[in-house]
Amino acid sequence: MSGVTSLHALSMLPSSTLPLKNMLLSRFKGQSVKSVQTPALFIDRAIFTKNCSNMHQRVKTWGVKFRAHVKTHKTAEGTRIQLRSDVLASSAIVVSTLAEAWQVLNSELVTAGVVDDYTIQILYGLPVGPTKIAELAEMIRSLKGKATIRIMIDNIHQLRALEAFGGKWSAFVKMDHGGKRAGLPLKSEALRELITAILASDSVHIHGFYCHAGDSYASTTPHQAASFLTAEMQTANDAAGLARSILDSRPELKPKYLLPFVLSVGSTPTAHATSLIDDQDRAKPLAKELTHGELEIHAGNYPVCDLQQIHTGLVRVEDVAHRVLASVLSYYPGRAEDGTDEALCDAGAIAMSKDSGPSGGYGDVVPWLSNYSAPLGELDEPPRCEWRLGRCSQEHGILTRTQSAGRGAELIPGQHLWIIGQHACLTMAAHPWYYILDSSVDGGLETIQDVWVPWKGW
């Protein structure tokens, strides 16, 4: 323990390298959008809030629990909106880093009682590495009833490291339903071995089974997304059934497992699909037939969305709550191989990330529409996109014509553009703070309403 530098201790130290919210507010609140230096990331708080409320309505309709992943925005303000809406209140979150967990615990989410009578439940969202155990133990010791920390396990060596360290640990077993990112396949001998060992452990307790359908981002219809949700639920339920069958053969262990397992499944596409699928999809009846645990839906990208989400067919441009503001630097008539024009902007790979997607490129130039209340499918057609971030290097963003654009209006150096990136989680991680707009108030898309400072570090 003495060799571990605590992120909690570091988070308490003043640092001139960390932007202070009050200082940023005094500089930018009430200022014009075009007054900031580009590239800059903006969030429409009204759309962000509406997306969170809609997600709460979906899980409420299904009658299941919800766990919000905070890794996309990494802010106290965004987490508060994810946990509290006009539909329901939740207290369960997922974090991707220990820094996020420390900051949640030190924020007003806990210290000011934002979660009211609930104890906030934090799940560390990666299978736990042995090098993280000491700091997680320190975090648990510091809680004093303010929160619950849970971990993920998908390897017997993780279990042995936890047992060697000591203490009591509550864990999800991470399942791989076919995406091959992390977790154990249902039919693997390693899964049976791990579950058997955890059930017999005096240190680690199985809270539930966790699946994430990251491969559902390839969906293009609600039915395809529903098929991924079905696979997730079936995998988690069958894994819990395996655990119950092992317990049946070890009756002396049953008193430790009187409560049902939590079956935590989801991604933004599969969570969105819950409101669009019908009884013809296997997912909806299956949710009522789960016999080995209680269903929990988790998702993280849904408050902001991005081009990858639009491609699934479950999200419209009007549902995307963020944009990167970029400036045109130069213009190159006829430079492209097909003879079309190109332009240079200041939003390159560091501002947008180099994640691509099925739609191609690294971002689309899209106007910011304020019709955030229109339901899916109500608008006659999406806004026309004539330019795309077709190539990028570190600070250079190369804007190319879309195939359908032909020879439209030229871009002028100094002109400002809104760009939606392919993957919001990586795009937002590149920015030191976010400028907050609000399309639900007069002038809310023209002047800065707030500034959110994301948590950094691992």
Side-chain angles (χ1 to χ4, degrees):
M1 184 66 192
S2 61
V4 176
T5 300
S6 167
L7 279 178
H8 178 236
L10 290 176
S11 71
M12 296 293 97
L13 294 174
S15 173
S16 60
T17 64
L18 295 177
L20 299 175
K21 178 175 175 120
N22 289 340
M23 180 185 70
L24 293 168
L25 283 174
S26 66
R27 168 65 180 84
F28 294 112
K29 187 173 182 180
Q31 297 299 307
S32 166
V33 164
K34 294 183 180 181
S35 68
V36 307
Q37 191 61 268
T38 58
L41 193 137
F42 286 77
I43 294 174
D44 184 340
R45 184 170 52 201
I47 301 178
F48 189 108
T49 301
K50 178 176 176 291
N51 289 344
C52 291
S53 179
N54 286 345
M55 183 60 71
H56 285 174
Q57 186 60 57
R58 293 181 183 100
V59 296
K60 182 179 180 180
T61 299
W62 270 46
V64 299
K65 298 177 181 178
F66 182 66
R67 184 179 295 271
H69 209 315
V70 305
K71 67 168 186 173
T72 301
H73 56 86
K74 301 175 185 278
T75 65
E77 296 91 342
T79 301
R80 187 189 310 113
I81 296 172
Q82 285 185 279
L83 292 177
R84 291 287 182 270
S85 74
D86 55 355
V87 177
L88 60 77
S90 175
S91 61
I93 64 171
V94 192
V95 299
S96 286
T97 68
L98 297 183
E100 292 168 33
W102 282 122
Q103 294 289 354
V104 168
L105 294 174
N106 292 328
S107 73
E108 76 276 12
L109 296 167
V110 174
T111 60
V114 171
V115 293
D116 300 327
D117 295 329
Y118 296 85
T119 298
I120 194 164
Q121 305 170 47
I122 302 175
L123 172 61
Y124 177 48
L126 275 73
V128 62
T131 59
K132 302 292 197 300
I133 293 174
E135 189 168 337
L136 282 162
E138 180 186 355
M139 189 180 298
I140 292 171
R141 284 194 297 269
S142 73
L143 296 179
K144 299 178 181 178
K146 296 185 296 183
T148 299
I149 304 292
R150 292 192 171 92
I151 57 175
M152 282 191 194
I153 296 179
D154 70 353
N155 190 286
I156 193 73
H157 294 286
Q158 298 158 357
L159 172 63
R160 299 310 179 205
L162 289 163
E163 290 175 328
F165 187 90
K168 299 294 184 181
W169 304 88
S170 178
F172 279 91
V173 175
K174 181 66 186 290
M175 300 298 302
D176 176 13
H177 75 284
K180 301 184 186 299
R181 187 172 78 168
L184 292 172
L186 181 64
K187 303 298 184 181
S188 68
E189 186 58 34
L191 177 64
R192 176 178 287 274
E193 177 188 1
L194 180 62
I195 291 176
T196 301
I198 299 176
L199 292 175
S201 176
D202 292 328
S203 296
V204 183
H205 183 273
I206 298 178
H207 182 70
F209 296 85
Y210 189 101
C211 284
H212 170 66
D215 44 356
S216 65
Y217 283 38
S219 304
T220 57
T221 69
H223 294 290
Q224 286 181 340
S227 69
F228 285 103
L229 179 59
T230 298
E232 288 182 298
M233 290 192 294
Q234 192 70 65
T235 298
N237 189 59
D238 289 351
L242 173 60
R244 286 295 172 195
S245 69
I246 295 171
L247 286 170
D248 287 341
S249 67
R250 299 283 304 275
E252 74 277 11
L253 300 178
K254 282 190 173 182
K256 296 195 300 182
Y257 287 93
L258 299 178
L259 295 177
F261 294 117
V262 174
L263 312 179
S264 190
V265 304
S267 66
T268 291
T270 57
H272 278 150
T274 58
S275 67
L276 299 173
I277 60 180
D278 53 38
D279 289 329
Q280 295 178 350
D281 288 296
R282 177 62 181 145
K284 192 169 186 178
L286 177 61
K288 301 176 182 178
E289 298 168 7
L290 299 176
T291 56
H292 299 304
E294 294 182 346
L295 185 62
E296 173 186 271
I297 299 290
H298 57 254
N301 183 278
Y302 67 95
V304 292
C305 298
D306 49 34
L307 289 184
Q308 290 181 355
Q309 298 299 331
I310 291 174
H311 180 79
T312 66
L314 298 163
V315 169
R316 310 161 306 155
V317 171
E318 293 81 10
D319 299 315
V320 178
H322 82 288
R323 302 283 194 280
V324 171
L325 184 68
S327 298
V328 178
L329 306 178
S330 193
Y331 195 81
Y332 311 106
R335 189 177 75 170
E337 291 184 1
D338 62 358
T340 56
D341 300 346
E342 293 186 340
L344 177 67
C345 75
D346 57 3
I350 289 181
M352 303 299 302
S353 94
K354 294 196 79 169
D355 264 18
S356 189
S359 60
Y362 303 103
D364 284 354
V365 177
V366 177
W368 201 318
L369 303 184
S370 60
N371 185 17
Y372 68 94
S373 60
L376 187 67
E378 179 177 305
L379 299 181
D380 293 334
E381 59 180 310
R384 189 179 182 200
C385 175
E386 295 187 358
W387 291 93
R388 168 175 295 166
L389 190 63
R391 306 190 304 277
C392 61
S393 54
Q394 188 162 328
E395 281 88 16
H396 295 66
I398 311 303
L399 298 168
T400 58
R401 292 280 192 184
T402 58
Q403 292 181 353
S404 61
R407 294 190 62 85
E410 294 186 1
L411 298 178
I412 302 171
Q415 182 178 352
H416 286 91
L417 303 173
W418 292 119
I419 303 177
I420 298 176
Q422 287 282 0
H423 188 184
C425 302
L426 287 185
T427 298
M428 297 182 76
H431 293 262
W433 58 80
Y434 317 137
Y435 299 100
I436 305 304
L437 306 177
D438 195 328
S439 58
S440 68
V441 301
D442 290 341
L445 284 181
E446 287 75 46
T447 58
I448 296 166
Q449 309 295 308
D450 197 1
V451 179
W452 295 355
V453 181
W455 308 314
K456 300 294 186 180
W458 304 106

